[in-house]
Amino acid sequence: MDFLNVTAIVFFILVWVAVEPLMAAGWPRRNDSLSVDMVRVRAAWMREVLTRDNNFIGDAAILGHTINSASFFGSANLIVIVGLSGALFMEPNYGSGGLISMFAAQDPAWFFQCKVLLIMATLLRGLSDFIWAVRQINYCLAAIGASPSRDEDRDIASWTNALTLVLNPALRSFSVGVRSYYFTVAAAFWFIGPIPFAVATILSVGVLIWRQSWSDAAKGIMAIRKLLD
């Protein structure tokens, strides 16, 4: 593997590893980021769960929908991973024509397989996050069901904090799984070459940062968080 390809893959891995903890901390806008603001919104949600008059059916339906979404994405990831695994056992045919063959570099089989493995790695990361999200949301449902009713003596603040501690990691895992698709798209550009690969990595992270901090959804959540505060 030449120096340019090595640099591109090292850059991709560093960005891939670093972006999640940075976004979880609210980077680049710590006080106006979806990741940070949603922690406050979820805490308010759990407080409402404990204090509203009706039962938990609506909240269970919301979490059940999230479980279905995570299961769907996880199943889709698994199907694509199985499909890609077949590419590891066949010789790449660059003379078959088509749009990709016009731009893709004619690499030896082992290099082609490395590119396929990178895409599979991003999908496997997402799959593991979706599976973990489903398990954690099931824990959330059990925790909400075990919470005391309005007629019982209870510490609302402590219960709200406990439920939020269970809910936040679950939904964060789901978000990490969804964000893995951005890196899957960037990894696919390695087939075209190391420079498009690096550019796609930068663009993918740029889109993620914009959506987390400056998109309309981020502004709306920020407004809700300010109302809650």
Side-chain angles (χ1 to χ4, degrees), residues 13 25 36 58 65 131 170 181:
I13 292 174
V36 176
H65 174 72
I131 293 173
Y181 287 118

Side-chain angles (χ1 to χ4, degrees), residues 48-64:
E48 288 299 312
V49 168
L50 293 165
T51 56
R52 65 165 60 104
D53 294 333
N54 57 358
N55 53 25
F56 304 140
I57 294 177
D59 305 293
I62 294 171
L63 290 174

Side-chain angles (χ1 to χ4, degrees), residues 33-49 52 160 164 167-168 171 217-229:
S33 171
L34 268 176
S35 299
V36 176
D37 290 344
M38 282 303 299
V39 173
R40 177 69 181 90
V41 173
R42 292 176 194 135
W45 177 20
M46 290 298 100
R47 184 175 181 84
E48 288 299 312
V49 168
R52 65 165 60 104
T160 299
T164 305
L167 180 66
N168 272 322
L171 297 186
K219 294 175 182 176
I221 294 298
M222 179 180 65
I224 293 172
R225 189 261 301 165
K226 289 180 177 179
L227 290 172
L228 293 172
D229 292 341

Side-chain angles (χ1 to χ4, degrees), residues 57-210:
I57 294 177
D59 305 293
I62 294 171
L63 290 174
H65 174 72
T66 307
I67 290 177
N68 291 335
S69 299
S71 301
F72 170 78
F73 282 118
S75 299
N77 275 27
L78 187 59
I79 292 171
V80 176
I81 289 168
V82 172
L84 282 173
S85 63
L88 299 175
F89 301 96
M90 61 185 185
E91 189 78 18
N93 184 6
Y94 298 104
S96 60
L99 182 63
I100 294 179
S101 63
M102 293 172 59
F103 298 99
Q106 297 189 13
D107 300 315
W110 68 268
F111 198 16
F112 174 84
Q113 291 164 354
C114 287
K115 296 176 180 180
V116 174
L117 284 172
L118 182 63
I119 297 176
M120 291 177 65
T122 60
L123 291 170
L124 282 168
R125 164 88 182 269
L127 176 62
S128 65
D129 285 314
F130 288 132
I131 293 173
W132 183 223
V134 170
R135 292 186 62 187
Q136 290 182 95
I137 294 170
N138 277 291
Y139 303 153
C140 293
L141 289 171
I144 291 173
S147 60
S149 66
R150 297 186 66 186
D151 298 329
E152 300 177 72
D153 293 332
R154 59 201 178 147
D155 185 344
I156 295 294
S158 297
W159 270 99
T160 299
N161 181 62
L163 291 176
T164 305
L165 287 175
V166 180
L167 180 66
N168 272 322
L171 297 186
R172 190 181 302 121
S173 294
F174 179 77
S175 297
V176 172
V178 172
R179 285 196 288 268
S180 69
Y181 287 118
Y182 291 82
F183 292 97
T184 300
V185 172
F189 274 83
W190 198 12
F191 284 106
I192 301 177
I195 295 178
F197 178 31
V199 172
T201 302
I202 295 171
L203 290 177
S204 296
V205 175
V207 170
L208 279 174
I209 293 173
W210 176 80

